[in-house]
Amino acid sequence: MKRRTLLGGMTLAMPALAQTERWPSREISLVTGFGPGGGTDVVARAIAAHMEKTLGVAIPVRNTPGAGGTLGPGRIAQSRPDGYTFGLVGLSALVVAPLTMDLPYKPWESFDFLGCTSELRIAVPVGPSMPQVRTLADFIAEGRRRPITVASTNPGSAVSFFDLARLAGIQISYVPFGSITEAASQVAGGHVDTYSGTSEMIGLVRGGQLRMLASASVDRWPDFPEVPTLIEQGYQTATRQLIIWAGPAGLPAPIRDRLEAALMAAARDPEVLARQAAGGIASRVIDRAGTVAAIREVQPGVEAALIASGMSRKRS
């Protein structure tokens, strides 16, 4: 009986083992929770192109925008843990979304994290709706006179705006958009005052449609080295937008390790780094364990900003 049980267990295990050994044998979907054209899309496509060479299969990018960047992570979480679906699970989807909405996944239980490759830089730009605003001081003075409309795809990318409202005593009105390029066009068209500017802002600033008042990130933008950070201008806040990668929970360890290795190799590739830099995106290469630690480090400050701003929803 024991021998038959053992043989039966071996028989059941063999197909799964063979599947792991053959992986990957078909295309792998890379899911991102944001639309084409933004900073995350630049990173996703650069990473996918390199990983295709490493793993030897096609890796199409599946843009899944909506619900504040949570539809993509939801799609990843609900996928089979066979290594054929992975993608971007932004910091906002893990830290911000649980405070503001009901989710189709559990932030710490639904994913096998693979690492972090990059960080979106955030800026404070203004356009035609604020023609007299040329400096951050002007912006703050305007915000003390009237509410300033602030657009972003999710509250997490607007953390510094919420902090600035508290620290500088200004009024803001948050306006959510489905894509960051749409938010940018609304500011450039004079319909919204400002937004959490990322890489798509570079051309608009150089073309004169927008003016950049500050970097809302931890460092200055290489494209605009003359523009100081909010911290340098006396306001202790920085928006962190780490680009985190994960698959669904339960990935077989050999597949998870190969995915992580291919991801880390792509993140360090000179061509990928050049494409990111051209889009104003910082390199932040962190392995699986370090990524979890980085999320935990950033989480308290993000939560505090959202709670203080009233964006957090109380739960029973």
Side-chain angles (χ1 to χ4, degrees):
M1 177 64 73
K2 289 184 178 179
R3 184 171 181 272
R4 285 199 299 271
T5 301
L6 178 62
L7 289 173
M10 291 175 62
T11 302
L12 290 172
M14 286 176 64
L17 179 61
Q19 184 180 15
T20 299
E21 290 175 345
R22 290 196 303 268
W23 183 91
S25 59
R26 55 184 171 85
E27 75 174 28
I28 300 170
S29 292
L30 190 165
V31 177
T32 170
F34 299 97
T40 52
D41 195 56
V42 169
V43 175
R45 294 182 187 279
I47 292 289
H50 190 277
M51 290 182 70
E52 285 181 340
K53 300 174 188 176
T54 303
L55 297 175
V57 296
I59 304 180
V61 174
R62 312 291 190 193
N63 295 98
T64 313
T70 62
L71 292 185
R75 182 174 176 178
I76 294 169
Q78 294 161 11
S79 299
R80 292 181 60 186
D82 55 9
Y84 290 101
T85 302
F86 80 111
L88 280 71
V89 181
L91 189 72
S92 292
L94 299 170
V95 176
V96 177
L99 295 175
T100 59
M101 65 181 73
D102 294 317
L103 300 173
Y105 56 84
K106 297 180 179 179
W108 298 102
E109 300 171 26
S110 296
F111 305 103
D112 276 353
F113 294 107
L114 301 170
C116 174
T117 59
S118 331
E119 182 170 0
L120 297 180
R121 287 191 172 93
I122 304 293
V124 180
V126 295
S129 72
M130 305 182 83
Q132 77 286 6
V133 172
R134 299 288 163 174
T135 66
L136 184 63
D138 293 339
F139 181 86
I140 290 169
E142 183 70 9
R144 289 172 178 165
R145 283 193 292 268
R146 65 162 178 98
I148 291 174
T149 49
V150 178
S152 79
T153 54
N154 66 82
S157 61
V159 164
S160 286
F161 290 93
F162 300 134
D163 277 342
L164 193 61
R166 175 177 54 84
L167 294 169
I170 65 174
Q171 310 168 72
I172 65 170
S173 177
Y174 177 71
V175 184
F177 278 88
S179 76
I180 202 66
T181 50
E182 183 184 2
S185 68
Q186 290 296 306
V187 177
H191 308 294
V192 178
D193 293 323
T194 185
Y195 80 110
S196 53
T198 53
S199 58
E200 74 296 320
M201 184 198 69
I202 296 172
L204 294 170
V205 172
R206 288 175 174 164
Q209 294 100 316
L210 297 178
R211 297 180 301 284
M212 180 175 170
L213 306 180
S215 166
S217 296
V218 294
D219 53 10
R220 296 191 183 197
W221 288 47
D223 301 272
F224 307 107
E226 74 284 359
V227 180
T229 65
L230 288 171
I231 293 173
E232 289 175 309
Q233 297 187 68
Y235 299 97
Q236 294 299 311
T237 180
T239 299
R240 304 302 304 272
Q241 287 289 280
L242 297 172
I243 296 181
I244 296 157
W245 300 76
L251 288 174
I255 291 176
R256 183 196 63 203
D257 291 346
R258 285 191 65 191
L259 266 176
E260 180 186 4
L263 177 69
M264 294 293 97
R268 295 184 175 96
D269 178 72
E271 184 176 344
V272 172
L273 291 171
R275 287 180 65 180
Q276 288 189 162
I281 299 163
S283 173
R284 301 278 192 265
V285 184
I286 310 172
D287 65 14
R288 186 166 66 237
T291 294
V292 174
I295 298 168
R296 293 295 194 191
E297 180 182 354
V298 173
Q299 185 174 8
V302 174
E303 291 180 344
L306 293 177
I307 291 169
S309 70
M311 293 297 295
S312 174
R313 186 180 68 180
K314 290 187 178 293
R315 295 177 179 273
S316 56

